[in-house]
Amino acid sequence: MKLQEMLRGGRTVPGGPKYVVSSVRPEISAVPAFRRSGGLAAVCMVLLALSVLAACTAKTPNREEVLPMDFLSGEFTYMADAAMFRDCATGLRFPVAQTGDYLRTEREYTARSQGVGDPVHVRLRGHIDLMPSAEESQGLVPTLVIDSLLGFDDNQACNPGVMMVGIYVSEDGSGRSVLHLRSDYTCSFQNYGADGSAEHREGRWGLVAEEELALLLPPSTLTEQMPVLDPDAGSDQGMGPGGANGTASGTAAGAMSGDAVVQSSSVQSGPDEQWLFEVVSEQGVLVRNNGADKSQVFRKEYL
């Protein structure tokens, strides 16, 4: 099976999203025709191959290929030869560029809208880019570029109470994780282990489907609390910790504990990671499948 990868990256918008849009899609070659002489056995073989292929390509929260973080849903409006888009995930509003799949979007909107400037819910694939404003005094502004229209829905609308942005927390016996999704599509992830370890990562987030969210994170940086021997502890030079004068030798590395001090060290390893979450919008919950039937539930605590 041949894999093709498309990468569009590096768009940075001050105060707006930064997308790295990529996709990996398998090319499925046509199944060769089989002869009648193969009989039932040939039919069974073909059906088995198709079922295996379907299982491999089916949508699953545990897939490993890089996913496009370019799905957007929101409210589209058009008035006075200008279109605006309100992003449901962040609550931000963007002018819409008249490029890409814009003309088809405008035509379908006009056929559906009940009046001038009437908002209609839309689903699309696109990205935010810096483009000249219609008002010259504003210079370059973050603008939505519609790559492909997925469709309008008259029965949906943005709900400010279930925006994706906010702080999500996950707690269990192994520690506490905090995920902050910002309105510019950047994010931070902190994990505090029960053993005193701490991990911090800055990355990007985006939707890949209506109820699927992906994080793109750099390699993990793990800070470990390591007990190490204090060479001055228990020496002949004095009774106090660190020597005769009572100064705590080695306290720059950490706190004294008996004959040892605690030292912090940071280790960075591994490639960039992409995590996939199931979005439960009504409850403000993100569910990450970690593999091996293990799920991590993040609940929104703050906007």
Side-chain angles (χ1 to χ4, degrees), residues 99-111:
T99 59
D101 210 11
Y102 171 79
L103 290 180
R104 183 164 72 100
T105 304
E106 182 188 317
R107 285 196 298 267
E108 291 199 20
Y109 166 82
T110 302

Side-chain angles (χ1 to χ4, degrees), residues 164-218:
M164 296 307 308
V165 294
I167 296 178
Y168 298 78
V169 176
S170 175
E171 292 185 278
D172 55 31
S174 62
R176 174 184 172 91
S177 298
V178 180
L179 174 62
H180 185 188
L181 304 182
R182 306 185 186 99
S183 60
D184 63 353
Y185 285 95
T186 63
C187 66
S188 65
F189 174 79
Q190 292 91 29
N191 185 68
Y192 306 97
D195 59 354
S197 62
E199 176 187 8
H200 177 84
R201 286 197 261 183
E202 292 284 337
R204 293 187 295 277
W205 69 276
L207 294 173
V208 299
E210 190 77 49
E211 299 297 335
E212 286 185 290
L213 179 144
L215 297 188
L216 189 61
L217 296 171

Side-chain angles (χ1 to χ4, degrees), residues 99-136:
T99 59
D101 210 11
Y102 171 79
L103 290 180
R104 183 164 72 100
T105 304
E106 182 188 317
R107 285 196 298 267
E108 291 199 20
Y109 166 82
T110 302
R112 287 173 173 270
S113 63
Q114 301 299 315
V116 177
D118 181 42
V120 181
H121 192 273
V122 64
R123 298 165 59 251
L124 56 89
R125 294 204 176 276
H127 61 276
I128 308 299
D129 211 345
L130 273 180
M131 303 187 72
S133 170
E135 301 180 16
E136 295 183 1

Side-chain angles (χ1 to χ4, degrees), residues 216-251:
L216 189 61
L217 296 171
S220 172
T221 300
L222 184 64
T223 302
E224 298 178 324
Q225 305 295 327
M226 301 289 292
V228 296
L229 294 177
D230 179 8
D232 294 332
S235 67
D236 295 332
Q237 304 204 357
M239 302 297 294
N245 59 5
T247 60
S249 174
T251 53

